[in-house]
């Protein structure tokens, strides 16, 4: 779009673009799907939870649900066989784990590396020919845990640090062909956080939630829509000079 066309259409428009969001059925992924459709994009909602993806697709209209296990090459390939064109990839699928080095087993670390790192490699590699053809955009959802040490998060910090490193490396190899950036949220009020509280702190959920909230100087948890708004911006023409960037959205956590 020309500058005049952008002004006439409104800011941060993505009309005519096709986007794929992994982990798109819930949390930040779901909010990103909503935001991208609102911006005019057609969205593929990729998730293991096919029923959830289908329900969201039916609600949004300009969306298609895809069942995808992001850790399995065959599942990724099967999903991409249904995608003829792609302009935007949002790697959002991820899981967490609580434990320091003495309370993290090899299986725990392997599982997080599979879901949080290997998946980004597999999905991005599968998407790359389509994104090269469209001079497209990739947004990886990292975490402040990839930027700083967070207590009892050995595997999670390790995996998110790898996502940041992968983002920067791809930006260096393909600076003119695509744009790729990484958003690093603080703690966001999503089912991801709720499941963590339920699993690890079932008898003191409110107490621990207050502690998690307090580590962010702004005094509250983030909202999925706040992350999704940055996803939309990074994929828009207005963000055309942003590449290889790592962008915290954390209520001031990493500034403190």
């Amino acid at each position: 779009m020309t500058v005049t066309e952008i002004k006439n259409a409104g800011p941060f428009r993505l009309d005519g673009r096709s986007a794929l969001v992994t982990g798109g059925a819930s949390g930040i992924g779901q909010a990103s799907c909503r935001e991208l459709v609102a911006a005019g994009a057609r969205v593929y909602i990729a998730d293991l939870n096919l029923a959830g993806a289908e329900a969201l697709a039916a609600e949004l209209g300009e969306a298609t649900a895809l069942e995808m296990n992001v850790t399995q090459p065959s599942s990724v390939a099967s999903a991409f066989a249904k995608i003829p064109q792609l302009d935007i990839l949002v790697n959002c699928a991820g899981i967490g784990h609580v434990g320091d080095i003495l309370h993290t087993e090899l299986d725990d670390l392997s599982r997080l590396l599979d879901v949080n790192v290997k998946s980004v490699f597999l999905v991005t590699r599968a998407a790359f020919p389509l994104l090269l053809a469209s001079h497209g955009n990739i947004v990886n959802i990292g975490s402040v845990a990839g930027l700083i040490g967070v207590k009892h998060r050995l595997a999670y910090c390790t995996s998110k640090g790898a996502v940041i490193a992968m983002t920067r490396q791809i930006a260096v190899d393909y600076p003119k062909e695509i744009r790729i950036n990484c958003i690093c949220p603080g703690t966001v009020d999503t089912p991801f956080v709720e499941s963590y509280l339920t699993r690890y702190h079932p008898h003191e959920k409110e107490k621990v939630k207050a502690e998690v909230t307090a580590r962010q100087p702004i005094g509250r948890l983030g909202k999925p829509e706040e992350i999704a708004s940055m996803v939309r911006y990074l994929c828009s023409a207005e963000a055309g000079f942003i590449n290889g960037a790592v962008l915290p959205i954390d209520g001031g956590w990493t500034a403190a």
Side-chain angles (χ1 to χ4, degrees):
M1 297 176 71
T2 66
V3 173
T4 300
E5 288 172 332
I6 291 171
K7 288 180 178 178
N8 290 339
F12 319 134
R13 294 297 303 174
L14 301 171
D15 300 283
R17 308 278 187 88
S18 295
L20 170 69
V21 181
T22 69
S26 66
I28 292 171
Q30 183 185 98
S32 296
C33 290
R34 294 182 187 280
E35 188 69 29
L36 294 172
V37 168
R42 172 83 189 181
V43 177
Y44 294 95
I45 306 167
D47 207 291
L48 263 180
N49 177 9
L50 181 59
E54 288 175 335
L56 181 60
E59 175 191 336
L60 296 179
E62 291 298 315
T64 301
L66 294 174
E67 185 172 17
M68 183 189 291
N69 182 336
V70 292
T71 69
Q72 298 300 317
S74 59
S75 179
V76 173
S78 176
F80 271 93
K82 303 170 185 176
I83 302 175
Q85 173 193 342
L86 193 66
D87 304 281
I88 294 164
L89 170 62
V90 182
N91 284 307
C92 193
I95 59 173
H97 178 264
V98 175
D100 61 15
I101 195 165
L102 296 179
H103 297 88
T104 300
E105 300 301 325
L106 180 58
D107 285 347
D108 298 324
L109 179 61
S110 296
R111 185 173 68 255
L112 261 75
L113 292 177
D114 274 352
V115 178
N116 294 358
V117 184
K118 177 182 172 183
S119 71
V120 177
F121 167 77
L122 289 175
V123 176
T124 301
R125 187 174 181 183
F128 226 74
L130 295 172
L131 294 170
L132 288 174
S134 65
H135 293 279
N137 292 278
I138 302 171
V139 179
N140 291 329
I141 304 301
S143 169
V144 297
L147 296 169
I148 61 174
V150 180
K151 285 187 175 183
H152 309 300
R153 300 292 190 280
L154 176 92
Y156 191 66
C157 286
T158 300
S159 68
K160 290 302 185 177
V163 171
I164 291 169
M166 195 187 308
T167 300
R168 287 171 166 156
Q169 198 286 320
I170 292 172
V172 169
D173 272 346
Y174 295 90
K176 297 180 180 178
E177 293 86 353
I178 65 162
R179 290 194 300 108
I180 177 169
N181 296 287
C182 184
I183 298 174
C184 291
T187 307
V188 179
D189 194 2
T190 64
F192 180 92
V193 171
E194 187 62 28
S195 66
Y196 151 72
L197 293 170
T198 300
R199 179 176 180 181
Y200 293 102
H201 304 282
H203 304 301
E204 52 180 2
K205 285 177 64 175
E206 292 307 313
K207 174 178 176 290
V208 175
K209 188 173 184 178
E211 292 171 352
V212 168
T213 300
R215 69 189 178 190
Q216 301 177 124
I218 203 169
R220 65 172 175 84
L221 299 181
K223 301 174 184 177
E225 295 78 13
E226 292 170 323
I227 312 304
S229 293
M230 180 60 79
V231 170
R232 173 177 175 172
Y233 170 66
L234 288 174
C235 296
S236 71
E238 289 89 339
F241 201 55
I242 302 176
N243 196 24
V246 177
L247 304 164
I249 305 180
D250 61 5
W253 185 357
T254 52

